[in-house]
Amino acid sequence: MILVTGGAGYIGSHCVLTLLKRGKDVVVFDNLSTGHKYTVENLAKHGNVDFVQGDLQNLEDIQSVFEKFEIEEVLHFAAFSQVGESVKDPQKYYYNNVFGTLNLLNAMISHDVKKIVFSSTAATYGEPEYVPIDEKHNQNPINPYGNTKLMVEKIMDDYDKAYGLKSVRLRYFNVAGADHECIVGEHHSIETHLIPNILKSTFASGRVFEMYGQDYETKDGTCVRDYINIEDLANAHILALEYLNKNMKTDFFNLGTNDGNSVKEVFDMCERVTGKDIPVKMMPRRAGDPAILIADNKKAKKVLNWIPEKTLEESIKTAYSWEAKLQNNIS
């Protein structure tokens, strides 16, 4: 069986769905702090998935999973991921993201499970020294969230040398979209991602989308980001598992499109997809927002044979369909 920590959350649930569609047996472990029970219930309609509610900060919770199920490999998504919150409350992030992962790795070692795919982030690179950013770029995070992810990567290197625990670390850029069948999607109590925030303004009466910064040295003055479709991202995790099983080798890969879109371009595309005029208010720059973040994805293409297939427009269309489903459920 495959253990997916954080499998009730946004990215984890899409990876679980992809595994289930391939006939895999999955155990979802989640504390439901940001994930949702209904997500697991939806996933259970599409394959063999067991759900265990627990917290990685409690070693007994995760040890019991390995004692109950025959776990062969792990996909690890369970982490807090809001940059701003990590600055205000770093203790929460270090305990959950680092200490929690240590408990997971120790449980794996004690049960002789030696393969893990880790949900890392482009935030480990910090301020870009050049773009596109490749895997050789210096890792120098500028916030506690990025620090926690980099710490885990370093821990995994040490655990490989000492215990033979093999890992693939996938460094995401900006993830977008939803499952094209609307089985799962993005649902955060506090939404910080650009596309769902724009789309929510088409539903919320009187809600105005706030666009931060229009004086960057970019093509239209707004920040440029690399948006990777969630289903393409999920497929990369399957390929990473296959790579681990075939090579039993620790490695790391950027996941992005090697292309970028500005905030204004994303906003304009959201208006085209929805057919609505979205109210917008221009705001000053936010501190710490780099002008351009774009992935160099050549390594993932070459080594994992991973090709991102879906366009930004497709990501926005699925995100809009999912948001409409959420709004209908709320109302």
Side-chain angles (χ1 to χ4, degrees), residues 241-270:
L241 276 180
E242 292 174 356
Y243 175 84
L244 270 180
N245 283 312
K246 181 179 179 181
N247 299 287
M248 283 302 292
K249 176 185 175 184
T250 289
D251 215 330
F252 43 85
F253 302 92
N254 286 342
L255 295 184
T257 66
N258 210 66
D259 194 12
N261 292 93
S262 72
V263 173
K264 281 185 178 177
E265 287 175 331
V266 174
F267 180 84
D268 290 344
M269 191 171 292
C270 286

Side-chain angles (χ1 to χ4, degrees), residues 229 232 309-316:
N229 177 271
D232 285 335
E309 298 177 348
K310 296 184 182 297
T311 64
L312 176 61
E313 183 174 1
E314 289 175 289
S315 295
I316 292 173

Side-chain angles (χ1 to χ4, degrees), residues 64-105:
S64 67
V65 173
F66 286 89
E67 290 164 6
K68 182 177 180 180
F69 300 97
E70 292 291 330
I71 305 297
E72 297 175 327
E73 48 212 3
V74 178
L75 295 180
H76 179 32
F77 301 96
F80 294 132
S81 61
Q82 293 185 29
V83 170
E85 183 186 50
S86 77
V87 175
K88 294 177 182 177
D89 191 4
Q91 181 185 74
K92 175 181 179 179
Y93 278 66
Y94 286 109
Y95 264 101
N96 187 75
N97 295 6
V98 181
F99 177 65
T101 300
L102 279 169
N103 281 340
L104 171 64
L105 298 182

Side-chain angles (χ1 to χ4, degrees), residues 288-317:
D289 271 351
I292 303 174
L293 290 175
I294 297 175
D296 183 324
N297 62 9
K298 294 186 184 69
K299 184 179 178 183
K301 286 182 175 180
K302 180 179 180 180
V303 178
L304 298 180
N305 197 28
W306 174 71
I307 306 294
E309 298 177 348
K310 296 184 182 297
T311 64
L312 176 61
E313 183 174 1
E314 289 175 289
S315 295
I316 292 173
K317 285 180 177 178

